[in-house]
Amino acid sequence: QQPVQSPQAVILREGEDAVINCSSSKALYSVHWYRQKHGEAPVFLMILLKGGEQKGHDKISASFNEKKQQSSLYLTASQLSYSGTYFCGTAPNRDDKIIFGKGTRLHILP
Amino acid sequence: NAGVTQTPKFQVLKTGQSMTLQCAQDMNHEYMSWYRQDPGMGLRLIHYSVGAGITDQGEVPNGYNVSRSTTEDFPLRLLSAAPSQTSVYFCASSYSAGIPRGEQYFGPGTRLTVT
C-alpha cells in the first residue's frame, strides 16, 4: 500500500533538472507532495487529484497519470534551497487516509 | 496563530514506562494525524482523526492510543514504551472540507528515545 518512490537519492549541481517518481499498486484518487529539510518538519508542496492534471508553482511542477497510478515531481533549474527529502503521499479514495512513501533525498551542489 | 504545536520536543523513557505526546492546533482543522519517522522508512501513519470524537488506525497503530475530545487537541499515548518506539513523532492537521485532507501542516516533532 505504501507508494514506491524513485530514485532513492540524487545529487545534482545547481541549475540542473530533477525528476522524482511516485508509483502505486492501487488506483489513486490523490497524490500529495511534501519536502522536508534536515531537522525540520515536512512542508506541503502540492496536491494532485485524479484526472491527469499537472500543477506547478515557481520552478516545481508535478503530473499525475491516473491510468498508470504514477506521479512525477519536476524540479527545473534546481536551486540550493531545493535540497532535502521529498515525500509523496497517496490516497486511493476521496475519504481515505494518506500513506507516504519512503522519500527521495535530493542534494544540490553549488 | 501558533499553527501546530507539539510537546515535549525531546523525551527519554525507560522500557515499560508510559507517556503522552501532546499535539494542539489553533486553525480549527478537522483532520489530525500522527506519524512516526525512522531512518529510511519515510513517514508512517500511526492514528488519525477526522473530527472530535472520531479516530481510526493508520499503518502502525500497535502500542499507541489516541483520543480526540476537542477539535484542537490530539494526544498520542504510549502505553508501555519499547525500544522499537524510538523515533521522531510528527503531528499534522489539515482542513478536510473541499479537497480531501488538503494541505497538512506539520508540528515541529518530538524526538523520543526509549532505553
Side-chain angles (χ1 to χ4, degrees):
Chain A
Q1 191 174 356
Q2 186 179 39
V4 176
Q5 291 186 232
S6 63
Q8 290 184 335
V10 59
I11 300 175
L12 297 174
R13 292 211 173 269
E14 199 172 8
E16 293 182 336
D17 300 338
V19 179
I20 299 171
N21 300 302
C22 175
S23 64
S24 174
S25 59
K26 300 176 69 172
L28 298 176
Y29 176 79
S30 61
V31 180
H32 309 242
W33 286 98
Y34 287 77
R35 175 171 61 205
Q36 183 181 33
K37 294 188 177 291
H38 184 69
E40 299 181 5
V43 174
F44 172 79
L45 292 176
M46 64 188 76
I47 293 174
L48 301 100
L49 303 181
K50 70 175 184 179
E53 68 175 285
Q54 186 153 348
K55 277 195 173 182
H57 66 88
D58 200 10
K59 294 179 181 177
I60 300 176
S61 62
S63 63
F64 179 20
N65 187 322
E66 178 189 351
K67 290 182 179 178
K68 293 187 176 181
Q69 298 154 196
Q70 292 176 348
S71 177
S72 294
L73 186 72
Y74 307 94
L75 298 97
T76 305
S78 56
Q79 306 167 12
L80 294 175
S81 61
Y82 288 0
S83 290
T85 300
Y86 290 78
F87 292 99
C88 74
T90 58
N93 300 298
R94 185 188 186 281
D95 297 320
D96 215 329
K97 53 187 176 286
I98 300 167
I99 302 298
F100 285 94
K102 293 183 178 181
T104 295
R105 295 188 309 279
L106 176 65
H107 188 58
I108 308 296
L109 299 172
Chain B
N1 196 338
V4 180
T5 58
Q6 291 183 238
T7 56
K9 289 188 177 180
F10 302 94
Q11 183 70 49
V12 179
L13 290 178
K14 294 186 184 301
T15 297
Q17 287 184 318
S18 62
M19 79 158 295
T20 299
L21 306 185
Q22 300 292 343
C23 174
Q25 52 89 11
D26 60 359
M27 297 173 283
N28 201 31
H29 284 172
E30 298 175 322
Y31 182 78
M32 296 186 74
S33 54
W34 275 103
Y35 296 90
R36 60 176 290 174
Q37 185 171 34
D38 305 293
M41 300 299 292
L43 295 160
R44 291 187 292 172
L45 182 64
I46 305 172
H47 285 286
Y48 66 103
S49 169
V50 298
I54 306 170
T55 64
D56 206 347
Q57 296 182 349
E59 302 171 87
V60 289
N62 292 340
Y64 307 95
N65 273 356
V66 292
S67 60
R68 185 93 180 269
S69 57
T70 66
T71 299
E72 295 77 20
D73 300 300
F74 191 43
L76 178 72
R77 297 183 187 85
L78 279 72
L79 308 174
S80 177
S84 61
Q85 293 180 304
T86 293
S87 186
V88 178
Y89 291 83
F90 287 103
C91 177
S93 73
S94 69
Y95 180 61
S96 62
I99 295 176
R101 309 306 171 236
E103 172 182 355
Q104 289 199 81
Y105 293 80
F106 282 78
T110 294
R111 187 175 295 273
L112 175 68
T113 302
V114 183
T115 62

